[in-house]
Amino acid sequence: MQKRLTTKDWILYALIAVLITLLLLVMYQIDRQWLRLTEMQTALQAQAKDMRDLRSAVSSGTLARTDNAATATTPAVAAAFNRAHAMTQQAGYAQGDWSVNAFGNNLKTLTPLVSSDAYASDVQSYVLESLITRNPDTLAWEGLIAKSWQVSADGLTITFQMRDDVTFSDGKPLTADDVAFTFDFIMTEAIQAPRDRAYLEKIASVKANGKYEVVFTYKEPYFEALSLAGGMSIFPQHFYEPYLKTPQAFNESKGLLLGSGPFQMPDPKGWTPDKGNVELVRNERYWGDVQPSYNRILWKIIQNDSARLTTYRNGEIDAYGARPKEYADLKQDPQMMDKSQHFEYMPPVAGYSYIGWNQERGGKPTRFADKRVRQAMSHLTDVQRVIKDVFLDYAEPAVSPFSNTSKQHDPALQPYAFNLEKAQALLKEVGYEDRNKDGVLEDAAGQPFEFKLTYFDANEDTKRMVLLLKDLYAKAGVKMIPFPQEWPVMLESLNKKDFDAITLGWTSGIETDIYQMFHSSQAKTDGDNTISYKNPELDKLIDQARATVDEATRMPLWQQAERIMYDDQPYTFLMRRKTLAFIDKRIHNLQMTKLGLNRGLLPLENYVPAAQQKYQQ
Amino acid sequence: MTKHEVSRESFSRRIWRKTWQGWGVKLGFAWIAVLIFAGVFAPFLANSMPLLMSKDGVISAPVLDYLTKEDVVVLVMFALLVILAGVSWSVGKRLLIFVVGALLATLLVNALLKPPSVVIYDQFRSTVYTEVDWRVMPPITYAPQDYLRDFGDTGLEAPLEASDRTHWMGTEENGADVLSRMIHASRIALSIGLIATGIALVIGVILGGLMGYFSGVVDMLGMRLVEIFESIPTLFLLLTFVAFFGRSLYMMMIIIGVTSWSGYARYIRAEFLKLRQQDYVQAAVAGGLPLSSILFRHMLPNGVAPLLVGVSFGVASAILAEATLSFLGLGLVDAPSWGQMLNQAVKSSMFNWWMAVFPGGAIFLTVFAYNLIGEAFRDAIDPKLSRNAGVNG
């Protein structure tokens, strides 16, 4: 007999399907309840611990006294929290909501010291804190964990007095021992932190002097001594110390992150890259005078540019950094402008882009070893034109590694102007002439002036710039071959110093140290002086400036160094680009400071008014 | 019934006649002919310099001064093709003369021609070239790499958007004329298809032929080799090569060719396995002919038919591979290519329709044309599908 589906069968199948669906839903529900339960459990445990601590404090009688003292003095807010405090006084201020951002790439690790990318340090800045911080209005240093500090007359010893009410996010107090431990931890050879060690090597020792005082002693005077000591992120000794015994476990770890900052990892040991997103939750025990407004900080991984823009348009991330051309177009887009505040500004720490002329290859000097050739190339590189055509005026020409607004910069120096005749004259002086009438210059030996310009292939604007420069150089009979490369391959050729010329960028700080890229000692393998630029005069000035603590005498030294670089043109300095950002309208209290836009500055200065809050947890 | 008639036309001619019957294949060949025309005469169709001009009574042809070595080689090869199509020599002889002629032309051009190695396109719009008695300009007055630097930023203008310049298909991201780039890109598309498939064909026929003729151990080893090559993902190999050895069209051609011969080897092997027991092959062996003669003179012409199908599909897939690479931004830097232009269709969050429609349409039409031709060949060769095969009337 043939089997047929009768109505009865249909009903049976439908019932089974309904049952299975119900079962799945119940499983999902129970799973959610379970997660919630564990969350509540950890919160309860933390509270119980706090209660115990409180009870013991009350019984020992210490609390009563400090409490009286606190009420007697005004509820003073430490200077570092002044701006954040002002925000809390605004009419619409409310706590809550999340800050959602996007990263363009997967993170390898969140563990401090081991991580090397800007994304990880962005996350760490919400979790780890340092002794002092810069005031965004005055750029002066203010105490964060430190209350006050003294620098000895010779500049070699710095003593910090620390606040006594600072705790890590697990409730343990932060003391001078943690600071000393942090230094020792970084200086441990087995820990993979060569970059941090290279800077901290200037410090001879860090000693805890009592529970809340710490003394940094330097081997030699160093101009950034204060920021180096005070800017060091403080690690909790009880959390990181076990890894001194198993350094390999630390070096290979993916998410060991615990600190005293306003946010904490939900699980300080549990993050792994396969989770993709990075999520920070509010540190309920935050010691600061002003509590952060957001409940959570979330970073999504969105690698594709247009996907990131769509996500922003849909309101799933809070900010979008646009390319110049895109920015100009999006400003005309009503849907975009409806939901966004837009900012275009030149951050004072904006890095500069450059073309580096490799002066030594395979042990032999290249054609760029001659200063006049580099000067000619700078005269041919029409930076104004690049800024106008490619970056639509959202950039300013760079004269040197020092920002135009910095005190290190000598305002008398003007960027190299496009000057075809001068460049041709310089090249002729060196001996370049078009000997075989093919449009390209040849040197005395008949070798054509032809070189490859290496650039990062994923950046569209750079590619457009390179093609423009190719046409500009052609006018003087210089043949440039665009040579796009993948990031890892490019880093490899940088390390091996195996390229003709390269275009890249450097970030800079408030005061820029040029030792790393221009001092001849850094021309070694793996050093950042990848173009093998050597000038003993400049070396001397850099060493001198770095060892000068007094700003008034240091700045002229930097300016002198700048003049040498201006004349030498080891790089053709291109430009500093403006930050072009769209930020969701619900984010309030966005202000421009001397450090740039205050979004993401710590202590947090942004909030979302209660009515506009989007995420409830 | 009908009277019994023995067709006198040769096998290849019969195949050709039957292939040529449908409409689709005629359209396919027409499109390929358009591409060949565009590819061969690209410098005269779209360029920034005058074809011919008279200044102060002196007549000159600037476009000839700026012809690149490739331009000249392509023109010589085209001329050879036209001449050889006219004479009535055997196919082998004509092929030999063509290959020798092409090689000779390449060598001569490389040795003798010294074209300017940098071209400043702005100068052709300066008075030296504009204030003349008379001049003949190409139909499209922009070279593919002429980014119109003297007009400032001209990137991504829609067709006919600019009032002072005429761009029938708009401009691309860097400001060059899209139609001009389309025309010059047809050369890349054609050459990568033909050369990559040519390489694959040579390797495939030789290895497949040996495998089929000898069978046994040779066949066993050969098939394993085929399987190894079939498991290489061409696109990933290309990506790796591009990352480490830079971008070169010739490199792409060779890699696509070297990795895609396995299909042809299989076809030829199957045919030869069938043919090796035939009487005429046995007779050739008994006659003591050398191996190359047996393989290529006697067996190959009888086993080559199914290859035609594979070849036309292979050309299409080679074109697609190059377009894919360029679309991923890993193609040539500023040489025009359809895939690379297609890549610019969605830029700066705007949909630039002209960057999608024209290059995308060209890729589609080309691949479609090759597929139509391939199908027509298959129908003609397959005895089951061709009802009116010559012998049976």
Side-chain angles (χ1 to χ4, degrees), chain A residues 3-16:
Chain A
K3 265 196 170 177
R4 283 226 188 102
L5 280 179
T6 60
T7 330
K8 225 157 91 187
D9 290 338
W10 273 114
I11 293 173
L12 192 71
Y13 284 138
L15 270 176
I16 291 173

Side-chain angles (χ1 to χ4, degrees), chain A residues 409-422:
Chain A
H409 169 65
D410 177 1
L413 296 177
Q414 288 303 313
Y416 271 59
F418 180 68
N419 193 334
L420 188 58
E421 290 78 35
K422 202 163 172 185

Side-chain angles (χ1 to χ4, degrees), chain A residues 305 309 312-313 319-334 336-337 340-346 390-395 461 464 577-583 592 597, chain B residues 347-350:
Chain A
D305 275 351
L309 179 58
Y312 174 75
R313 276 180 192 274
Y320 179 71
R323 292 172 49 211
K325 187 136 191 162
E326 204 174 34
Y327 180 75
D329 289 341
L330 288 173
K331 264 203 322 194
Q332 312 297 325
D333 183 339
M336 194 77 179
M337 295 315 288
S340 315
Q341 331 172 44
H342 62 103
F343 294 90
E344 45 186 276
Y345 62 96
M346 181 66 69
V390 180
F391 297 99
L392 306 177
D393 286 328
Y394 294 119
D461 291 325
R464 293 191 61 201
R577 291 174 56 181
K578 282 186 181 173
T579 300
L580 307 171
F582 290 94
I583 298 175
M592 206 52 75
L597 194 68
Chain B
K347 272 288 151 69
S348 311
S349 73
M350 313 292 268

Side-chain angles (χ1 to χ4, degrees), chain A residues 309 385 440 467-468 470-471, chain B residues 117 149 153 174 334 349:
Chain A
L309 179 58
R385 176 92 192 261
V440 178
L467 285 180
L468 174 56
K470 179 187 167 200
D471 286 357
Chain B
S117 41
R149 301 292 185 206
D153 178 25
N174 292 302
D334 65 341
S349 73

